[in-house]
């Protein structure tokens, strides 16, 4: 078994606010949603074999503890991109052998970025 995609909830009409974070900051590409699902709003994103769906939720409550964790070969580059977009990073050193930080997307969802060594 393998994961096809991770879905995170976003508030209605927040797609434009999400694009810079996911595309410029994290390096994802936007993928066109199937025509049958386009009326629901949201975004589909991909980076290599990693797929993220941002689904619209009317009464959105951000995920503050639950989160996806993404591996990157260049943690510092991703950190610089996100900081340039004014997204505060929370560096975590609780695992001494893992370089990582947490950041929130524009909807407040927690995201973990880890260095792939």
């Amino acid at each position: 078994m393998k994961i096809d995609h991770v879905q995170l909830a976003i508030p209605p009409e927040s797609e434009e606010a999400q694009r810079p974070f996911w595309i410029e900051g994290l390096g994802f590409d936007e993928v066109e949603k199937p025509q049958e699902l386009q009326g629901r709003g949201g975004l589909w994103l991909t980076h290599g074999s990693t797929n993220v769906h941002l689904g619209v939720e009317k009464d959105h409550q951000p995920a503050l503890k639950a989160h996806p964790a993404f591996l990157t070969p260049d943690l510092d580059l991703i950190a610089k991109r996100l900081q340039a977009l004014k997204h505060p990073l929370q560096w975590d050193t609780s695992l001494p052998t893992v370089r990582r930080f947490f950041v929130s997307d524009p909807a407040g969802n927690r995201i973990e970025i880890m260095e792939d060594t």
Side-chain angles (χ1 to χ4, degrees):
M1 190 176 305
K2 62 182 182 176
I3 293 175
D4 177 74
H5 67 275
V6 171
Q7 179 160 336
L8 297 171
I10 60 172
E13 301 180 19
S14 65
E15 292 88 349
E16 288 305 316
Q18 292 288 339
R19 283 186 174 96
F21 176 86
W22 289 95
I23 296 170
E24 296 170 36
L26 296 181
F28 279 77
D29 293 314
E30 186 172 354
V31 177
E32 186 173 349
K33 291 175 66 173
Q35 185 174 356
E36 299 83 4
L37 302 179
Q38 289 179 6
R40 298 180 184 180
L43 299 171
W44 281 16
L45 303 150
T46 190
H47 189 293
S49 63
T50 302
N51 299 297
V52 175
H53 295 176
L54 303 180
V56 172
E57 187 172 65
K58 181 181 173 189
D59 297 319
H60 174 262
Q61 294 294 317
L64 302 176
K65 179 70 175 170
H67 61 276
F70 299 110
L71 293 169
T72 179
D74 197 340
L75 188 68
D76 295 318
L77 174 63
I78 299 298
K80 287 177 187 173
R81 287 181 185 169
L82 291 170
Q83 288 173 319
L85 292 167
K86 307 290 189 228
H87 292 283
L89 310 181
Q90 300 165 328
W91 288 91
D92 184 272
T93 58
S94 59
L95 297 173
T97 61
V98 179
R99 285 190 71 222
R100 66 182 181 161
F101 62 82
F102 293 92
V103 64
S104 294
D105 75 2
N109 296 307
R110 186 178 199 204
I111 310 292
E112 181 177 355
I113 310 296
M114 305 169 64
E115 187 166 61
D116 188 9
T117 56

